[in-house]
Amino acid sequence: MADHQDLVETGNDLIDLISDVAKDQELVTAAVKEKIKQDMEMKECVKQMLNDLSVSEQNLGQKLLDTEDKRAQQVEELESLNDQLRKLTKMSQNKDSDIEFLQRELEKLKSSEQEIQMLEQEVEEGTTEIIPEAQHTARLYHNITKIKWEFETQPNILKGVHYGELAIPINIDTSKVSPCEVSNQLWALISTE
């Protein structure tokens, strides 16, 4: 009878052990499900952060381009006012009031240009990974000269297109002409108006 009692107790212990294992398995399954849920939430959070970062980079890049466009417009206005000032000075020394007005406008534009340069510098410092300095410089030269260069040429060949009133191709062999002559040919393309 004692063997039977031991067998019953062992059976009960086994049933309790199996029950505990089942409970532990349920707890482990719940913990795994919770971990998977947390991982999915973390992935969504990281995905949203990356999307937000991408939008911020695009906005910052657009702000830089807009600042460059505004600066180019201010430079054109500044050049225009300089031209007007020279013409008025030649026409009459008696128009002091007009000249003073233009000088004030010129100072405002210079001040605006300095502000734009400061903004541009701040934006540049914040976007050195977005727009490399060489691209920025090339874009700035293109905005001023209206020349678009081809960079995949032989070392002694200058190739590009000047987009003035008409598109004029540029093809200069620098080994055959002096740097001064190259400069003169390029400056001849740029309008002084």
Side-chain angles (χ1 to χ4, degrees):
M1 183 88 175
D3 286 338
H4 180 65
Q5 183 66 27
D6 287 343
L7 190 58
V8 167
E9 285 178 13
T10 303
N12 286 337
D13 288 344
L14 282 174
I15 290 172
D16 289 344
L17 181 63
I18 290 171
S19 176
D20 288 346
V21 166
K23 288 178 186 175
D24 287 347
Q25 184 177 8
E26 288 176 10
L27 289 174
V28 167
T29 301
V32 167
K33 286 181 180 178
E34 182 62 27
K35 180 65 176 160
I36 290 172
K37 179 181 173 186
Q38 289 174 353
D39 286 349
M40 294 300 288
E41 289 172 355
M42 181 63 81
K43 285 179 184 177
E44 284 300 316
C45 183
V46 168
K47 183 178 177 182
Q48 183 61 43
M49 289 170 66
L50 289 173
N51 286 340
D52 292 347
L53 179 61
S54 175
V55 168
S56 294
E57 287 177 347
Q58 289 173 357
N59 289 342
L60 201 51
Q62 185 61 48
K63 184 177 179 182
L64 176 62
L65 292 175
D66 292 345
T67 301
E68 288 176 5
D69 290 344
K70 187 174 180 181
R71 183 178 182 278
Q73 184 180 8
Q74 292 288 336
V75 167
E76 287 178 16
E77 290 178 21
L78 179 62
E79 289 173 0
S80 174
L81 285 175
N82 275 329
D83 289 342
Q84 290 178 22
L85 181 60
R86 282 190 293 272
K87 288 176 185 177
L88 286 175
T89 303
K90 287 178 184 177
M91 286 172 52
S92 171
Q93 294 296 328
N94 297 329
K95 295 187 177 184
D96 291 337
S97 62
D98 292 340
I99 292 171
E100 288 174 6
F101 170 77
L102 288 173
Q103 286 175 334
R104 284 193 302 271
E105 290 297 313
L106 180 62
E107 290 303 317
K108 286 180 188 176
L109 285 173
K110 284 181 181 178
S111 174
S112 295
E113 181 182 16
Q114 289 173 349
E115 289 174 12
I116 289 171
Q117 285 176 343
M118 288 173 49
L119 282 173
E120 184 177 340
Q121 184 177 3
E122 290 174 9
V123 172
E124 265 185 37
E125 290 171 0
T127 60
T128 54
E129 294 177 4
I130 298 171
I131 300 178
E133 185 176 335
Q135 286 179 335
H136 169 70
T137 303
R139 187 175 294 123
L140 186 61
Y141 285 156
H142 171 70
N143 286 343
I144 294 170
T145 64
K146 306 294 187 232
I147 295 175
K148 185 172 184 180
W149 293 106
E150 290 182 29
F151 296 104
E152 311 254 337
T153 64
Q154 296 174 358
N156 61 328
I157 301 294
L158 286 178
K159 274 191 166 184
V161 177
H162 175 262
Y163 293 98
E165 291 181 19
L166 298 172
I168 299 172
I170 299 169
N171 189 355
I172 301 172
D173 186 348
T174 59
S175 65
K176 294 181 180 178
V177 292
S178 70
C180 184
E181 180 61 27
V182 170
S183 178
N184 287 341
Q185 287 181 27
L186 294 176
W187 277 112
L189 296 173
I190 299 172
S191 173
T192 58
E193 293 182 13

